[in-house]
Amino acid sequence: MGGERPETSVERQSSFAERMATDFDTTLLRNLVWLCIENDGQLTRICDGRAVVSEAADLRQHNQGEDVEYLGRLEAIEATLDWLARQRALELVAQACADCLTDGEAWASNTDPDDGRVGAAQAEARRWLKHHTNEAARVGALEALDQ
């Protein structure tokens, strides 16, 4: 999987970025979430793998029919990769929230150094992390709550 990414993979990753970013009210946190999800290599590979498995399942079904052996296994792998992609996207939201708490001022200074906006973004990030401790723990983002 070198050059071109499958279009469905790119769309899936962008969809995660868009949906999860719009869960936040503050522009700073929205931007951090979007960037983390759009630029994550691990999520890229998971989405690419899902797209390839989906194409393989479609091709197998098209060539050999609905009841072909192993089609169900391919579909189960596709569903597992889809679940894993969502989990990774949530981990990236946790990482973005941690980044907002630890480096919010630096991020904000690049666009709009309004301290009130940073404070609001950090409060929102703190709330999200407190409600998503499993995802935060998987990426070591819980320590940011101590900031």
Side-chain angles (χ1 to χ4, degrees):
M1 274 194 255
E4 286 278 321
R5 290 183 64 199
E7 187 176 325
T8 56
S9 175
V10 174
E11 290 171 359
R12 184 74 174 139
Q13 191 163 356
S14 291
S15 173
F16 281 126
E18 183 177 342
R19 281 181 306 163
M20 292 187 176
T22 58
D23 285 345
F24 296 96
D25 295 327
T26 59
T27 301
L28 174 61
L29 197 49
R30 250 188 259 135
N31 290 345
L32 284 170
V33 167
W34 185 283
L35 287 170
C36 277
I37 292 174
E38 278 290 330
N39 295 315
D40 185 65
Q42 187 181 152
L43 182 58
T44 294
R45 299 304 267 179
I46 295 167
C47 289
D48 288 354
R50 178 190 173 272
V52 169
V53 170
S54 179
E55 290 171 9
D58 290 347
L59 191 59
R60 187 158 180 88
Q61 180 180 355
H62 175 75
N63 290 339
Q64 294 168 299
E66 232 5 88
D67 295 328
V68 67
E69 190 173 6
Y70 303 120
L71 179 61
R73 289 185 183 181
L74 284 170
E75 290 169 340
I77 293 168
E78 180 182 0
T80 298
L81 287 171
D82 195 49
W83 175 85
L84 184 57
R86 179 165 167 51
Q87 296 309 303
R88 180 59 185 159
L90 288 168
E91 291 169 357
L92 292 166
V93 173
Q95 187 60 58
C97 287
D99 290 348
C100 182
L101 291 174
T102 58
D103 301 323
E105 291 85 5
W107 279 97
S109 69
N110 291 332
T111 56
D112 184 3
D114 182 344
D115 286 339
R117 294 177 195 212
V118 173
Q122 288 177 331
E124 192 173 26
R126 194 174 304 284
R127 277 192 305 275
W128 194 93
L129 287 172
K130 285 180 179 179
H131 287 95
H132 297 87
T133 55
N134 290 337
E135 293 83 358
R138 287 197 303 264
V139 293
L142 286 176
E143 293 91 38
L145 287 172
D146 297 333
Q147 297 291 317

